[in-house]
Amino acid sequence: MNNPTFSYVLLLFLLIFTCLREIIAKAEEADTKLYIIYLGHKPHDDHELITDSHHDILGQVIGSKEEGKKNMVYSYRHGFSGFAAKLTDSQAKQIRELPGVIRVIQNQIYKTHTTRSWDFLGLSKSDPNNLLNKTNQGDGIIIGVVDTGIWGDLEGFNDKELGPIPSRWKGSCKSEANFNATKHCNKKIIGARWYIKGLMEEYKLNQTMAEKSYNLSPLDEDGHGTHVAYTAAGSYVNNIQYYGLNMGTSRGGAPLARLAIYKVCWINKVDGETYLGGADALAAIDDAIKDGVDIISASIGFNGRVFSEVDFESLFGIGSFHAVSHGIPFVAAGGNTGPEPNSIGNVSPWIITVAASNEDRDIVTPLTLGNNNTILAQEIFQGKNQAFAPLLVARDVTNKEELKSIVKEVKGKVVMIFLEDKKDVLFYLATLNNTGVLALICVTPPLEQNTDFNQLIGVPIPFFTVDVEQGTQILDYFQQCKSNNQDPMIKLGQTRVVEGNEVFQKVAKFSSRGPNSFAPDILKPDVAAPGVGILAAAPPNKGNNGFQLMSGTSMAAPHVSGIVALLKVAHPDWSPAAIKSALVTTAWNEDTCTYEIYSEGTNNLANPFDFGGGISNPNGAMDPGLIYDMDKNDYLNYLCTLGYKNDMVQNATSYFFDTKTSTICPKEVPSRLDLNLPSISIPNLKNSIIVRRTVTNIGDVNSIYKLVVKPPKNTAIKVNPNVLKFNSNTKKISFEVEIISTYQRKSNFNFGSLAWSDGKHFVRIPIAIVNTQYNGVRPIALINDSVEESAARGYGRGRGRGR
């Protein structure tokens, strides 16, 4: 047929068909989301075969194995088995029904949780008998840091005192993009990887768009990861000058340990915000397990609803579970959303969750009011003492336009503004420049207090920050003067470093608080460590002279990671649970300190929901006497209390269990209250309840420990036995704790402690109890559960049964 009209019509039809296919394909791609398919333990060590099996599974719902390969983003095959892939909602639903699939989880977006501190913790280099020196400063340990990358070309990461890289190390450090491995890696920083595929899929970025928005390499331009890595294991740097202040010598907690960097957090070059995809974090943890790290330190957390650990909805929970199953302690920041209750994150029982306290040093600038009250502001004033000057509180300035309206009033005055967004500071300073203003005071909300505003030193206007409580004091004074027709005045003092008894010990206001909103019978946080005004290494575009002050639980967590590195040298046979127990039971608290520890923002003394067992005590943790260890039965029982089917628990825990039986969980579901944690938390005590714990003696073989108990308010406690006698044949002893309610009305949590003492050791665990019923936020574990379902999940059944 040579009909030209027919040929044109056919050609037009083919063009339309092709265009429609492309439109449909793009629409389907636009509808896809990144999902993580979790398959539990890896069945063998043939990693290529594992990935091939992932392609097979994905091909069953995509249409073909080849299409499955195209849609796969990550194959997790080292520490566990699973993959991340682009799926539509219907495909995700299909794959959820396939045999062997434990959980299908949509990608989650996380965020970072943003010296003298080591002397404060008792780890001075000058003391030959402390944990630091007895463990050769952590030599041989490899700490994996999951964060914003590294800027390694700093004196803080020199390798002058380090020997060869441990032969067991399997990781790598390669030059790529703007990251020069010769400059940024050495015998201190021995590995550097980066992960962004998950984030790219979440925001539908192609390679060109990603390169435009992010610097695709392990290089840290944000500063957070560099600061965290240095805090954990930075090298010695002497005679540090920080904006004119002599800060002496600085180092990390384990200065001879090595660092492996896993960049999963990305600062956007356009909006300046930091982003992280959960699929990327999971890939980093999987690689860290393969590479051979000894510890994983993660100063990041999920921004949103708190999911449970191997409730299998938390990607961090899954990754940390498999890290711990390989004997790798997992240390994580608790979050910066305090002081509100129920705000603590990273709540898995196998994670060491860290709160932020201060240290016994602070850098302050005194601001003296006309009534002679003095406010200690943050940031550094490089000028001399000033005479009293007029104070203007621009309370009604809530936007940038209103600020412009008062510029004619500020000449010769100190102005205070309530800050809503840290990014507005530069605008405020630019607007007030050349107006004759003497200084700017910004009142910062808790979430903004982890920012180092000292970077603004050098701008023409002296600049200070105060917290909301301090700002309120200044505002009250200002309003009182105005009501009495007086002129409010203020004087700027000279910045000074205060140390020792001049600094009150406290848990920082921003530090997230318990109770654990998912499972309040798992007490969180575990411990606290310094996280306020921590001086550590910084990229050239941050801080001053290679260092920066930062605050946040992000800074507290690597303190604990450094301590754990030292403990791993001292006790290489300890399990992650044993290490956590040693930290919790020896921590400084109201029972073991000669000074009081406050909860900033609540006007109370700190309790276990502020700091768990207390502030970390490294030297005590080296020799705890007794430990609350966890074995495979503890992990099994815990997973069973979450209500999962036998096959799911079996797949997730077969690393622990060599079993072919179909029944893993017992018919009578055990109680989470009996999980052998170094704490007791009972969210619903009606009459009485019995919980059990087991301690292992790691001190003197022949030891006798006597009970020391402080019952929480409105309770009585009986312990059987109340004396523990250890010898060469008896190394473990179990005991029962009966807690009796003496108050039958509703109450909030009350706190106490239980300790064992042999005269040398004081092995203390915190207790938190609600009488009758907790009338605060309902635990997520109980939402949509009937009474029977709640019991099946581990409340009020098994050995920890209510009576």
Side-chain angles (χ1 to χ4, degrees):
M1 182 186 298
N2 294 319
N3 188 332
T5 302
F6 178 79
S7 298
Y8 289 138
V9 171
L10 181 61
L11 180 60
L12 180 61
F13 175 78
L14 290 173
L15 287 172
I16 293 172
F17 180 73
T18 303
C19 290
L20 283 173
R21 284 192 62 184
E22 290 183 4
I23 292 171
I24 292 170
K26 288 182 178 179
E28 288 179 345
E29 184 177 355
D31 287 338
T32 62
K33 301 171 186 173
L34 187 62
Y35 285 90
I36 291 81
I37 291 77
Y38 175 57
L39 305 173
H41 75 288
K42 59 177 184 176
H44 46 71
D45 290 326
D46 188 332
H47 299 143
E48 295 304 321
L49 194 59
I50 292 173
T51 296
D52 191 61
S53 70
H54 295 165
H55 293 151
D56 286 334
I57 293 172
L58 191 53
Q60 293 182 50
V61 297
I62 295 294
S64 71
K65 188 172 181 178
E66 290 305 313
E67 286 299 313
K69 290 180 180 179
K70 294 178 183 178
N71 279 36
M72 186 169 291
V73 176
Y74 288 116
S75 174
Y76 308 122
R77 57 188 188 172
H78 302 297
F80 51 93
S81 178
F83 56 90
K86 295 178 281 185
L87 299 169
T88 64
D89 290 341
S90 62
Q91 289 169 340
K93 187 175 181 180
Q94 291 177 52
I95 209 167
R96 191 177 281 115
E97 303 302 321
L98 295 179
V101 175
I102 296 179
R103 264 297 188 268
V104 177
I105 311 162
Q106 188 174 334
N107 189 38
Q108 300 164 2
I109 297 299
Y110 292 73
K111 63 178 181 179
T112 52
H113 285 325
T114 328
T115 73
R116 182 179 164 83
S117 60
W118 296 111
D119 290 345
F120 167 67
L121 293 174
L123 296 182
S124 169
K125 188 182 180 182
S126 62
D127 182 358
N129 296 313
N130 65 19
L131 177 63
L132 175 72
N133 291 303
K134 283 190 173 182
T135 59
N136 194 25
Q137 305 182 61
D139 190 17
I141 295 297
I142 303 170
I143 302 175
V145 178
V146 181
D147 214 286
T148 64
I150 192 72
W151 195 289
D153 187 22
L154 298 169
E155 182 62 19
F157 298 112
N158 74 75
D159 60 0
K160 297 171 184 175
E161 299 183 34
L162 295 172
I165 294 172
S167 58
R168 60 190 171 84
W169 174 243
K170 299 176 183 177
S172 64
C173 180
K174 300 177 181 178
S175 295
E176 47 191 326
N178 59 349
F179 185 83
N180 186 333
T182 303
K183 291 174 58 178
H184 296 286
C185 287
N186 53 16
K187 290 184 289 184
K188 164 62 73 174
I189 299 171
I190 62 175
R193 300 178 184 271
W194 58 279
Y195 309 80
I196 198 173
K197 293 179 182 178
L199 192 65
M200 289 172 63
E201 290 302 326
E202 186 70 28
Y203 292 103
K204 305 298 181 184
L205 303 177
N206 58 33
Q207 186 70 18
T208 301
M209 295 165 66
E211 289 174 355
K212 183 177 179 180
S213 298
Y214 304 99
N215 291 310
L216 302 184
S217 81
L219 195 65
D220 177 22
E221 295 179 319
D222 176 81
H224 190 275
T226 300
H227 196 284
V228 166
Y230 182 85
T231 302
S235 303
Y236 286 91
V237 181
N238 299 318
N239 301 315
I240 297 172
Q241 296 293 316
Y242 186 70
Y243 293 113
L245 292 176
N246 184 0
M247 305 299 287
T249 298
S250 181
R251 63 172 173 83
L256 296 189
R258 317 302 172 105
L259 289 162
I261 307 302
Y262 301 87
K263 181 178 179 178
V264 298
C265 304
W266 298 88
I267 184 168
N268 189 296
K269 290 187 283 188
V270 179
D271 62 18
E273 295 296 327
T274 303
Y275 297 90
L276 157 65
D280 299 323
L282 203 56
I285 295 169
D286 188 41
D287 276 345
I289 294 170
K290 179 204 70 172
D291 290 344
V293 304
D294 298 298
I295 301 154
I296 294 178
S297 184
S299 290
I300 50 183
F302 180 54
N303 185 17
R305 174 182 170 182
V306 177
F307 290 105
S308 173
E309 48 293 323
V310 185
D311 152 273
F312 301 120
E313 297 293 350
S314 164
L315 301 179
F316 242 40
I318 290 172
S320 62
F321 175 78
H322 286 281
V324 169
S325 76
H326 284 77
I328 302 170
F330 197 100
V331 182
N336 297 333
T337 53
E340 294 302 316
N342 299 92
S343 56
I344 190 71
N346 290 321
V347 297
S348 307
W350 39 78
I351 289 178
I352 302 173
T353 308
V354 186
S357 66
N358 64 341
E359 54 177 311
D360 65 343
R361 179 180 71 178
D362 203 0
I363 301 172
V364 297
T365 299
L367 307 177
T368 304
L369 303 177
N371 58 8
N372 287 324
N373 286 341
T374 298
I375 305 294
L376 297 180
Q378 301 298 307
E379 318 322 328
I380 297 172
F381 179 47
Q382 293 181 308
K384 298 179 179 179
N385 286 332
Q386 303 287 315
F388 276 100
L391 169 67
L392 172 62
V393 176
R395 185 184 181 189
D396 297 326
V397 173
T398 58
N399 60 56
K400 298 177 180 179
E401 292 303 316
E402 291 177 355
L403 177 64
K404 293 179 181 178
S405 68
I406 68 165
V407 294
K408 294 181 181 180
E409 305 175 34
V410 302
K411 185 175 181 180
K413 297 179 181 178
V414 175
V415 177
M416 186 176 81
I417 292 176
F418 285 79
L419 185 67
E420 293 186 357
D421 190 327
K422 65 183 179 183
K423 290 184 289 187
D424 290 338
V425 170
L426 290 176
F427 173 83
Y428 292 155
L429 291 170
T431 303
L432 295 175
N433 194 24
N434 298 321
T435 62
V437 68
L438 293 182
L440 176 64
I441 302 170
C442 281
V443 183
T444 60
L447 287 178
E448 302 297 346
Q449 290 172 3
N450 60 350
T451 303
D452 181 14
F453 288 113
N454 283 315
Q455 299 174 59
L456 299 174
I457 289 178
V459 299
I461 304 170
F463 169 76
F464 310 97
T465 61
V466 295
D467 62 29
V468 175
E469 290 180 12
Q470 294 171 315
T472 302
Q473 291 179 48
I474 297 173
L475 175 62
D476 289 344
Y477 162 72
F478 178 81
Q479 291 177 328
Q480 185 178 16
C481 288
K482 289 298 183 182
S483 63
N484 294 331
N485 294 318
Q486 296 175 340
D487 294 327
M489 306 293 285
I490 191 168
K491 182 171 68 172
L492 310 180
Q494 198 161 15
T495 299
R496 61 190 179 96
V497 177
V498 294
E499 296 180 349
N501 294 332
E502 290 188 73
V503 182
F504 288 106
Q505 294 306 300
K506 60 189 177 183
V507 176
K509 181 187 293 185
F510 58 75
S511 186
S512 295
R513 304 309 210 264
N516 177 343
S517 62
F518 177 82
D521 41 12
I522 307 297
L523 196 152
K524 289 289 179 174
D526 295 305
V527 292
V532 178
I534 303 303
L535 186 71
N541 64 327
K542 303 285 184 178
N544 181 250
N545 290 331
F547 281 83
Q548 182 179 18
L549 284 173
M550 294 183 73
S551 297
T553 54
S554 287
M555 286 67 248
H559 275 85
V560 173
S561 300
I563 295 168
V564 172
L566 302 180
L567 291 174
K568 289 278 284 185
V569 176
H571 302 284
D573 57 333
W574 278 10
S575 69
I579 290 173
K580 179 161 83 167
S581 172
L583 290 168
V584 174
T585 60
T586 62
W588 291 312
N589 49 62
E590 67 273 16
D591 293 337
T592 57
C593 276
T594 57
Y595 51 83
E596 294 179 323
I597 304 171
Y598 295 91
S599 172
E600 186 180 27
T602 67
N603 298 319
N604 296 314
L605 293 177
N607 65 52
F609 289 159
D610 299 313
F611 62 5
I615 298 174
S616 298
N617 172 12
N619 294 316
M622 178 171 53
D623 180 23
L626 306 175
I627 56 172
Y628 292 78
D629 208 352
M630 302 266 280
D631 60 19
K632 62 184 182 181
N633 292 312
D634 289 288
Y635 290 108
L636 171 64
N637 288 338
Y638 178 73
L639 295 178
C640 291
T641 69
L642 298 176
Y644 298 115
K645 297 178 182 179
N646 277 305
D647 58 343
M648 292 169 60
V649 176
Q650 186 176 30
N651 283 340
T653 60
S654 61
Y655 181 86
F656 296 121
F657 298 94
D658 182 16
T659 176
K660 303 299 182 182
T661 63
S662 59
T663 301
I664 300 296
C665 296
K667 291 182 179 180
E668 186 175 1
V669 179
S671 171
R672 281 197 293 274
L673 298 176
D674 285 337
L675 192 63
N676 203 40
L677 292 167
S679 60
I680 295 173
S681 181
I682 301 174
N684 191 3
L685 179 63
K686 293 184 177 180
N687 295 306
S688 68
I689 199 166
I690 294 176
V691 298
R692 287 185 178 180
R693 292 291 186 272
T694 299
V695 289
T696 302
N697 180 27
I698 57 171
D700 297 334
V701 174
N702 297 305
S703 301
I704 298 176
Y705 284 83
K706 296 181 180 180
L707 178 69
V708 181
V709 65
K710 290 177 61 177
K713 182 181 177 182
N714 303 321
T715 67
I717 292 181
K718 298 179 181 178
V719 180
N720 183 34
N722 59 13
V723 176
L724 307 180
K725 297 181 179 180
F726 296 95
N727 53 47
S728 58
N729 296 318
T730 305
K731 297 181 179 179
K732 291 186 177 182
I733 297 178
S734 297
F735 59 91
E736 291 186 341
V737 182
E738 183 177 12
I739 304 172
I740 305 160
S741 174
T742 60
Y743 184 76
Q744 297 304 314
R745 298 178 183 178
K746 292 182 179 180
S747 72
N748 290 323
F749 272 100
N750 291 309
F751 306 98
S753 63
L754 183 154
W756 298 102
S757 177
D758 66 348
K760 176 183 178 182
H761 305 96
F762 190 77
V763 189
R764 176 191 180 276
I765 64 174
I767 300 175
I769 291 176
V770 170
N771 293 77
T772 305
Q773 182 180 347
Y774 180 49
N775 59 346
V777 177
R778 196 175 186 216
I780 294 173
L782 302 183
I783 292 176
N784 298 324
D785 283 352
S786 66
V787 174
E788 291 78 17
E789 288 170 331
S790 298
R793 283 176 176 258
Y795 285 82
R797 291 185 61 181
R799 292 177 300 185
R801 57 193 178 278
R803 297 191 303 180

